[in-house]
Amino acid sequence: MTSSLILGIETSCDETAAAVVEEGRVVRSSVVSSQIDLHARYGGVVPELAGRAHLERIVPVILESLSAAGLDVFRLRESNALRAIGATVGPGLVGSLLVGISAAKSCALAWGVPFVGVNHLEGHLYAALLENPDLELPVVVLLVSGGHTLSVALKRPGHYTILGETVDDAAGEAFDKVARFLDLGYPGGPAIERIASGADREAIVFPRPLLGTGLDFSFSGLKTAVIHYVRAHPEAVTADVAASFQAAVVDVLVGKAIAAAREIGARGLCLAGGVAANGPLREAATVACEKEGIALYVPSLAMCTDNAAMIAAAAWFLLERDGPSPLSLDAKPNLRLAEAT
Ligand code: KG4
Ligand code: ZN
């Protein structure tokens, strides 16, 4: 009998992760080794340190994910327990990606199973599906991370179109840059959310870039507006600046996600990516979806941030759609999300 288990591997940025997922929907194990502490003192991810840390951690992380899923690593070749191994091939840091890709290809060769190269962004699309297997499609996935801001129509697993995209900075990048300017530390999103809690979100009216104009996003002007405001008003209360900035980002994200949902007649909205951990964003999306009469799927915090379960899920649907990838497939640091209709 063919197995329905996929081993997923994710090393595109600062999380070393491996997971075993059944039929693209049921998580059998998910192990994430975060490097946040390693990079915090530099105020951002240092690519060389990330690559080296992945190299040290990848084997123990893979072994732990296999044993937590009840698989015997010494019998994987004979037992046919794995259907395939999926690994993120991009976008991401090249030195980090290479560690996961090389590990995945080596395991695929050793155990005689297919290798599937996964687009990291495609992985994020399946995070909500993993936690809500009965989710009704089509949905709009609002994918908001440190590197990306996209709204995507997911029509059925493996098939999606891009509705809107940032024309400059990603939402998480804006959080990180504003936090750095306000001296709040790294990563910026949680730092801004923390200080903004209880502060006045209406203290300063920052622009809501492109709100009401199409489905694309823009955050660079908003970041500049915060910087200009603070320079012109050195007496401004930092917590109020942070709360007002966060309110502007949330208004834009939710307004555009709802507009996207209307455009495709979506049954629901899924949040995905690191910024989806933001409390005010979750609250505003809850209110807006209720008003709109559509479902809201909010992944757990662990599923919002980078993990390998979403990569294994994507690999399952990719394998079904396109078959295995060649072992010559290389890292693609600037890979974009291509439409798959
Ligand atoms: O998806 P992710 O873990 O990594 C990638 O970029 O792929 O996202 C990290 C981003 C960072 O920019 C971080 O500041 C942001 O997500 N983030 C948040 C929150 N937690 C993480 N932004 C706003 N509020 C949060 N609570
Ligand atoms: Zn990510």
Side-chain angles (χ1 to χ4, degrees), residues 66-319:
L66 291 170
S67 91
L71 298 175
D72 180 352
V73 66
F74 297 109
R75 294 201 59 250
L76 275 180
R77 195 176 177 92
E78 311 82 76
S79 65
N80 292 321
L82 281 181
R83 171 83 183 81
I85 301 176
T88 303
V89 293
L93 302 167
V94 67
S96 295
L97 290 165
L98 281 171
V99 176
I101 297 171
S102 310
K105 287 178 181 172
S106 316
C107 292
L109 272 175
W111 300 332
V113 293
F115 162 71
V116 183
V118 177
N119 182 323
H120 179 81
L121 301 173
E122 203 167 341
H124 273 299
L125 298 184
Y126 297 106
L129 203 62
L130 275 169
E131 290 185 330
N132 305 275
D134 302 323
L135 173 156
E136 279 188 73
L137 299 172
V139 291
V140 166
V141 183
L142 178 68
L143 168 47
V144 272
S145 71
H148 306 276
T149 300
L150 294 164
S151 63
V152 178
L154 181 63
K155 298 162 190 166
R156 57 199 162 93
H159 301 268
Y160 47 82
T161 50
I162 297 166
L163 301 168
E165 210 168 342
T166 182
V167 297
D168 41 54
D169 290 353
E173 189 179 356
F175 269 103
D176 293 336
K177 286 179 175 171
V178 167
R180 192 175 314 157
F181 174 72
L182 296 176
D183 235 350
L184 297 177
Y186 165 87
I192 288 195
E193 182 176 354
R194 222 173 296 125
I195 193 173
S197 153
D200 183 3
R201 67 189 296 277
E202 287 168 7
I204 308 141
V205 182
F206 286 124
R208 269 62 175 162
L210 301 184
L211 189 58
T213 322
L215 298 179
D216 282 340
F217 304 85
S218 165
F219 291 106
S220 157
L222 172 58
K223 168 201 68 193
T224 310
V226 173
I227 294 172
H228 283 320
Y229 184 90
V230 172
R231 288 204 175 127
H233 303 86
E235 75 293 349
V237 178
T238 303
D240 288 345
V241 174
S244 302
F245 160 75
Q246 180 175 250
V249 176
V250 167
D251 277 359
V252 171
L253 290 177
V254 173
K256 287 192 173 271
I258 294 292
R262 253 181 227 161
E263 187 155 313
I264 63 151
R267 312 289 292 266
L269 170 67
C270 298
L271 303 184
V275 181
N278 186 267
L281 172 63
R282 291 166 171 241
E283 285 153 27
T286 306
V287 173
C289 285
E290 222 170 86
K291 202 166 142 211
E292 195 67 19
I294 59 173
L296 174 68
Y297 303 98
V298 186
S300 64
L301 292 188
M303 204 49 90
C304 286
T305 45
D306 290 347
N307 64 83
M310 66 186 198
I311 301 303
W316 172 261
F317 297 115
L318 273 171
L319 193 62

